[in-house]
Amino acid sequence: MTIPAHRRAFGEHLRALRQANGHASQEAFAHHVGLDRTYISGLERGARNPTLDVIVKLARGLDVSPAEMLATIDA
């Protein structure tokens, strides 16, 4: 399966934001935002395609805007 570049970029950005926000482990972050660790892993690898609701949940958990979550995505 080929992972689209925009999903790969989103996942890399999510990982960087998570780590910069002090959430060293996916498990601790997943618990913080109310998602499963395997789902966070899938997002960071670009294997999962998050809904708008999930993007908002992640942004709130990272104390950033939803727009910041998408900042690395080229139009």
Side-chain angles (χ1 to χ4, degrees):
M1 174 178 143
T2 302
I3 296 173
H6 62 277
R7 288 202 334 231
R8 187 179 315 274
F10 179 86
E12 290 170 1
H13 189 54
L14 172 60
R15 180 179 295 116
L17 288 171
R18 172 179 59 79
Q19 292 172 340
N21 203 271
H23 297 283
S25 74
Q26 291 175 342
E27 187 170 3
F29 178 64
H31 180 73
H32 176 68
V33 297
L35 296 170
D36 190 85
R37 184 210 52 85
T38 60
Y39 187 73
I40 298 296
S41 173
L43 289 172
E44 290 187 0
R45 289 181 287 111
R48 302 296 302 245
N49 190 20
T51 65
L52 179 57
D53 290 344
V54 168
I55 292 169
V56 169
K57 185 179 277 198
L58 294 169
R60 287 181 178 153
L62 293 166
D63 199 28
V64 299
S65 71
E68 172 60 25
M69 297 298 303
L70 301 174
T72 61
I73 308 296
D74 290 332

